[in-house]
Amino acid sequence: VKSPLRRVGKRGSGGFERTTWEEAINEVVQRLGDLRQKGQSYTVACILGSDRGTVPRLFDRFMKAYGSPNFIRAASAEDTCELAMGLMHGATDSVGYDLERANFILSFGSGLIEGWGSPVRVIQAHSIWRSGDLKERATVVQIEPRLSNTAAKADSWHPVNPGTEGALALGLAHVIIKESLYDLNFIRNHTFGFEDWRDFSGKTYMGFKRLVLTEYTPEAVSSITGLSARKIVELARAFARAKRPLAVWGRGKGTASGSLYECMAVHALNALTGNINKPGGVTTRAQVATRPWPEVSLDGTAWRGSQKPRIDGAGTSQYPLTRYLPDRWPQVINAGKAGTINALLVHGADPYYTTIDSTAVAKAFDRIPFVVSFSTYLDETAYHADLILPNHHYLERLEDIPTPVGLERPVLGLLRPAVSPQFDTRYAGDVLMTIAKSLGGAVADAFPWEDYETVLKETMGDKWDILEETGYIEEANYRPPAWGNAFGTPSGKFEFYITVFDQAGMKLTKDLDYLPHYEPVPPEGDPATYPLILIPTELMRLANGAVGNPPHCTKALEETELKRNNLFVEVNPKTAANYGLSEGHHAMLETPKGKARVLVHLFEGIMPGVIGIPKGLGHTAYDDYLAGKGVNANSLMGVVEDPITGLCATWGVRAKLTRA
């Protein structure tokens, strides 16, 4: 997008006309000013790709000063990881995996070399795992129903029934506990809820040990996962006996939130082996410390707006511990029961494309009177916006880059312009501050800085010179807190039994609900009508986030992935034979949410009864290199909510496949 654009004609028709920055900003100020004057500031929402860094913090600050609680971060595995770490560690920081120094990596569906976390970092870690002689090499084990590139390059791949990864983790825990392979010192001195315990009244509560030994025998877990009891026992022993075992969670590239109990079950393995806050283990990782900003002074409108419930329901009595519910707001808007959104600001995200259940998202967008996109590209959200205020391209921007997902030590990077701005674009931070200052009053007062560059330099403080010189700051000597301060839970220890649930007002009915356990997340659809399971697959050469796939990457896709504009789905030969399908056949793929015409690729690396569909295609915006190619996997799936967090726990959907 080369200049500010205003929609003309019907939304989604692709009709835009150029406008000046002054006219575009005045229109935003007029719209937001009118809503605020009417006492409807809380009907404005903002969706960003991240909540870390100075630009997201500016948007968050704007929403507070303006008077809306509806700052929403786009969905990712971080949503669930942060909750799990908060409940079990008592820390609100991100999870950090010391991949480079681990010598046994047990990955529960994480596409480590498909683009998980920081792709360059993980690929470098993979080189370390494969270096040295056979005795010193790390062992990599992949758990997932499909032979991904990560699985193909692992030492072993264990296919399990989709959605049962949490059960397998608990089956491994059963063997580790039964055979006393766990770290007794860590469990005895630094954990709570491993053994049965009593409260002050003398009431006894079930601990993790009894639950796992009773419910998750290898035979019971085998019937759930499809993995033999013998392999479960062997894998548990190998993991527990490794010097530095590390269990990693987050499906694919980590772009979906997922089940809380599944994440907790996987993380419990790290606790059992005592590999918490150690080299080659897992820790909570803070960001590089920067200068604090002045507090926002709320006027009456902002205070009243901030007291309103969020449009997505996060932080309410139903989901008191959840910060964002990024897949929930379309259903709430379409139901028309819990308020509405009169204006939506979007930066660094493409919710129209990336949010699960595209039909619901499209309906929700139709109900939002005013949508503003700060996108550099004409993505789906920008295509359906009323105004596009284009940000500088990343090669033209000055911006801080917070620590990448999964890194165990704090790192702060600086994005520096390689070229001067080529078109009539502006820093998103500058545009937002101009809007705030034009609104006047307390909103303007919240932004005392002259421009975004001033914000950035003042925030970095004495770190700015180092950033400017080297391009990054790495706290290489970062060490987790000493054991006395390692856990911020009510017990002061790592918690298997989550006591925060009661403190948050969540009076759960069973001991089971307080412990990591297997909570099946049933895929949407009737098995009689939809006998197969459709799962999304993620490829390194196929971007599926806020930015669309580059043309050269799309061209590099295999002919068994995309042929002209036709998408291939992966089908096991046995499954294909049952439906009279063969390689390259046209087929109709149907789920409860929609249908699509696809091509069949026979792939023995996917379990029978399962269909794999790549994420990242099916765009309707951008250009001829990307638009109209394939199918958006999100259009075929619906939201299945996690009962505790409200986050989307969808891992797949029921489907049927017929000859076209």
Side-chain angles (χ1 to χ4, degrees):
V1 180
K2 299 179 180 180
S3 68
L5 299 177
R6 177 188 288 110
R7 173 175 64 85
V8 292
K10 186 179 179 180
R11 180 178 287 173
S13 65
F16 290 96
E17 63 180 8
R18 294 187 63 168
T19 184
T20 66
W21 275 104
E22 290 69 25
E23 289 174 343
I25 289 173
N26 286 340
E27 184 171 349
V28 176
V29 171
Q30 182 67 43
R31 291 272 198 152
L32 297 187
D34 288 347
L35 289 172
R36 200 167 194 272
Q37 200 167 32
K38 294 175 183 177
Q40 296 178 357
S41 62
Y42 60 91
T43 67
V44 175
C46 174
I47 299 177
L48 266 70
S50 171
D51 59 357
R52 297 191 180 96
T54 51
V55 174
R57 285 177 62 191
L58 283 173
F59 276 87
D60 187 27
R61 187 178 183 87
F62 175 82
M63 297 298 282
K64 288 177 182 176
Y66 178 78
S68 173
N70 295 314
F71 178 91
I72 302 171
R73 181 179 68 184
S76 75
E78 278 194 279
D79 298 323
T80 304
C81 275
E82 287 176 1
L83 266 172
M85 299 301 278
L87 296 173
M88 303 178 90
H89 286 245
T92 57
D93 299 321
S94 298
V95 61
Y97 295 112
D98 190 356
L99 296 172
E100 291 82 355
R101 291 185 286 183
N103 76 332
F104 193 111
I105 298 89
L106 181 56
S107 165
F108 287 82
S110 298
L112 296 176
I113 58 174
E114 265 85 16
W116 183 90
S118 171
V120 173
R121 180 244 176 160
V122 178
I123 290 172
Q124 286 180 330
H126 187 273
S127 298
I128 295 172
W129 300 335
R130 290 291 171 260
S131 63
D133 57 38
L134 291 177
K135 290 184 179 180
E136 295 299 321
R137 282 178 54 176
T139 298
V140 182
V141 177
Q142 186 72 3
I143 310 292
E144 61 177 318
R146 173 184 174 269
L147 185 67
S148 63
N149 281 342
T150 300
K153 292 184 178 295
D155 293 276
S156 61
W157 165 52
H158 296 292
V160 297
N161 294 327
T164 65
E165 290 84 354
L168 178 60
L170 295 165
L172 301 179
H174 172 101
V175 177
I176 293 171
I177 294 172
K178 183 179 180 180
E179 299 187 3
S180 298
L181 299 175
Y182 56 89
D183 186 326
L184 180 61
N185 178 65
F186 179 79
I187 295 298
R188 180 178 291 168
N189 297 314
H190 303 297
T191 69
F192 171 79
F194 179 75
E195 302 280 0
D196 290 2
W197 60 283
R198 293 182 181 180
D199 63 14
F200 292 114
S201 69
K203 181 180 177 181
T204 300
Y205 297 85
M206 179 171 59
F208 182 69
K209 177 180 177 180
R210 175 152 67 97
L211 170 66
V212 168
L213 291 180
T214 303
E215 300 293 334
Y216 298 102
T217 65
E219 293 74 22
V221 171
S222 177
S223 67
I224 296 171
T225 63
L227 194 64
S228 72
R230 178 181 59 82
K231 288 184 177 180
I232 292 171
V233 172
E234 291 175 353
L235 181 57
R237 290 171 178 169
F239 179 77
R241 289 169 177 166
K243 290 182 180 179
R244 297 179 300 279
L246 179 62
V248 180
W249 181 87
R251 280 186 179 83
K253 297 179 182 179
T255 55
S257 47
S259 162
L260 175 65
Y261 286 128
E262 179 183 280
C263 181
M264 290 170 60
V266 172
H267 189 45
L269 294 174
N270 293 314
L272 287 177
T273 54
N275 207 11
I276 304 286
N277 294 350
K278 292 181 180 179
V282 60
T283 185
T284 54
R285 182 257 305 137
Q287 297 290 324
V288 173
T290 56
R291 281 184 177 176
W293 290 359
E295 290 291 326
V296 176
S297 179
L298 303 183
D299 61 12
T301 301
W303 186 87
R304 287 188 292 272
S306 67
Q307 302 306 302
K308 296 288 185 178
R310 290 170 57 92
I311 190 68
D312 60 3
T316 59
S317 58
Q318 186 176 5
Y319 304 116
L321 300 173
T322 310
R323 296 170 62 202
Y324 313 108
L325 288 170
D327 293 292
R328 199 166 187 265
W329 62 268
Q331 285 77 14
V332 174
I333 292 176
N334 293 334
K337 296 178 181 178
T340 187
I341 292 178
N342 284 321
L344 175 65
L345 312 179
V346 182
H347 169 68
D350 186 7
Y352 197 98
Y353 176 80
T354 62
T355 307
I356 288 181
D357 194 348
S358 301
T359 302
V361 175
K363 289 180 180 178
F365 260 73
D366 286 342
R367 293 174 179 238
I368 302 174
F370 188 55
V371 177
V372 180
S373 169
F374 292 80
S375 177
T376 306
Y377 307 98
L378 190 63
D379 56 35
E380 277 76 10
T381 300
Y383 195 78
H384 291 83
D386 298 283
L387 277 178
I388 305 176
L389 308 179
N391 192 18
H392 289 327
H393 188 272
Y394 74 89
L395 291 174
E396 304 167 339
R397 292 204 300 267
L398 183 71
E399 191 173 330
D400 56 317
I401 306 297
T403 310
V405 173
L407 195 63
E408 85 286 358
R409 61 190 182 280
V411 173
L412 179 65
L414 181 66
L415 184 66
R416 292 182 285 194
V419 296
S420 60
Q422 302 295 296
F423 305 110
D424 187 18
T425 58
R426 293 185 183 179
Y427 280 120
D430 282 334
V431 175
L432 186 70
M433 286 197 290
T434 301
I435 292 170
K437 291 175 181 179
S438 299
L439 284 168
V443 182
D445 293 341
F447 295 87
W449 304 281
E450 181 179 349
D451 54 26
Y452 171 68
E453 187 170 339
T454 302
V455 173
L456 184 60
K457 290 180 179 179
E458 287 189 8
T459 303
M460 297 303 119
D462 57 4
K463 294 181 173 66
W464 176 253
D465 289 340
I466 301 174
L467 271 176
E468 197 171 31
E469 180 181 350
T470 65
Y472 71 97
I473 294 174
E474 178 182 9
E475 296 187 4
N477 297 321
Y478 171 77
R479 294 290 181 270
W483 284 123
N485 301 311
F487 304 108
T489 57
S491 66
K493 298 181 178 183
F494 179 96
E495 291 196 353
F496 287 102
Y497 192 101
I498 308 302
T499 57
V500 171
F501 284 152
D502 282 346
Q503 291 190 355
M506 301 172 65
K507 299 293 183 180
L508 305 178
T509 58
K510 307 183 296 293
D511 277 350
L512 184 72
D513 295 332
Y514 292 83
L515 295 163
H517 66 280
Y518 175 56
E519 188 85 33
V521 180
E524 190 174 1
D526 179 8
T529 305
Y530 303 101
L532 303 174
I533 296 290
L534 178 69
I535 61 170
T537 63
E538 300 188 71
L539 311 174
M540 175 61 111
R541 291 167 295 171
L542 192 52
N544 58 22
V547 179
N549 216 46
H552 67 278
C553 288
T554 303
K555 187 176 181 179
L557 292 173
E558 300 285 348
E559 285 197 354
T560 54
E561 294 166 346
L562 182 70
K563 188 174 183 179
R564 297 186 180 90
N565 291 338
N566 298 309
L567 173 75
F568 280 89
V569 294
E570 296 173 339
V571 184
N572 187 281
K574 294 180 180 178
T575 305
N578 291 337
Y579 293 90
L581 297 168
S582 59
E583 180 69 28
H585 263 176
H586 284 277
M588 185 60 66
L589 175 64
E590 185 175 351
T591 74
K593 289 297 179 181
K595 60 176 64 176
R597 185 180 172 90
V598 297
L599 294 173
V600 172
H601 171 50
L602 301 184
F603 182 47
E604 293 185 356
I606 195 163
M607 296 179 69
V610 180
I611 308 169
I613 182 170
K615 291 179 69 175
L617 293 171
H619 281 277
T620 56
Y622 286 99
D623 50 31
D624 293 340
Y625 295 103
L626 191 57
K629 296 183 183 298
V631 179
N632 183 2
N634 292 325
S635 67
L636 299 174
M637 299 185 186
V639 175
V640 179
E641 291 187 357
D642 183 282
I644 297 295
T645 66
L647 291 165
C648 178
T650 300
W651 49 262
V653 66
R654 290 204 164 271
K656 64 180 179 181
L657 201 60
T658 56
R659 293 192 65 166

